[in-house]
Amino acid sequence: EGAGFFAINTPDGERYTRNGSFVRRSDGVLTAADGSPLIAAGSTTNPPAQIRIGTGTVSISEDGTVKAGDVVAGKLKVVSFANEADIERESGTRFRAKAGVTPTAATPRIVGGSLEQSNVTLVDRMVALTEIRRTFEALQRGVSMILNEVDARAIGELGRR
């Protein structure tokens, strides 16, 4: 909940996602849905530290602490950007920071066991799109009628001269 992106490690460097569908790889590394390892909070190494989880039920607390059973495996790195224009979509749910932009640590409330849903409904978008199309068609008919009238007058006037 709130502003923030999970930091993931990709071959192209650190990237960001809001997709909270995480998977435990066979080697125990916690990854995003696309297989990119999540970055641990406070990581200063290169490559960044990953979150390795053992066996047991995985849970994530509101502050991003990841546990496997009762064992703390690490904490998710969550960042935010001062301005939405500071990030750009790379693909699907993956974003990258624009050149020269450094994200800051964020402290949103993480809701473990749930996924963020779209903030738009398909029905609402279809209704809006239909309204826009109908308005466009009405305006197009109006312009067409005006141009036909102008053409008729021009032909009539030029025919008299």
Side-chain angles (χ1 to χ4, degrees):
E1 289 183 353
F5 292 85
F6 298 109
I8 56 176
N9 187 27
T10 71
D12 298 321
E14 189 170 304
R15 297 296 189 258
Y16 311 97
T17 185
R18 284 193 60 95
N19 184 353
S21 180
F22 303 144
V23 179
R24 176 182 12 202
R25 281 193 325 211
S26 59
D27 62 355
V29 173
L30 188 63
T31 67
D34 68 357
S36 302
L38 288 150
I39 298 175
S43 175
T44 57
T45 61
N46 192 9
Q50 302 171 349
I51 299 173
R52 292 190 181 277
I53 48 180
T55 58
T57 304
V58 176
S59 63
I60 301 175
S61 66
E62 287 186 3
D63 70 347
T65 301
V66 179
K67 290 183 180 180
D70 293 331
V71 178
V72 174
K75 187 173 180 178
L76 298 170
K77 180 178 181 181
V78 182
V79 299
S80 64
F81 295 87
N83 188 340
E84 278 187 30
D86 291 343
I87 59 171
E88 53 193 12
R89 185 179 303 274
E90 188 172 80
S91 66
T93 60
R94 185 185 295 176
F95 297 86
R96 70 173 164 252
K98 289 187 175 178
V101 174
T102 304
T104 57
T107 55
R109 180 176 163 255
I110 297 174
V111 182
S114 65
L115 292 175
E116 180 178 62
Q117 297 297 314
S118 173
N119 59 356
V120 204
T121 63
L122 182 60
V123 174
D124 290 343
R125 294 294 100 198
M126 290 299 292
V127 168
L129 195 57
T130 302
E131 289 175 359
I132 290 169
R133 184 180 57 112
R134 287 180 181 165
T135 302
F136 175 77
E137 288 172 351
L139 291 172
Q140 188 177 25
R141 279 192 303 271
V143 168
S144 179
M145 288 173 51
I146 290 171
L147 289 178
N148 286 341
E149 189 177 316
V150 168
D151 286 347
R153 278 189 179 169
I155 291 171
E157 292 292 321
L158 290 175
R160 289 186 212 165
R161 292 183 184 202

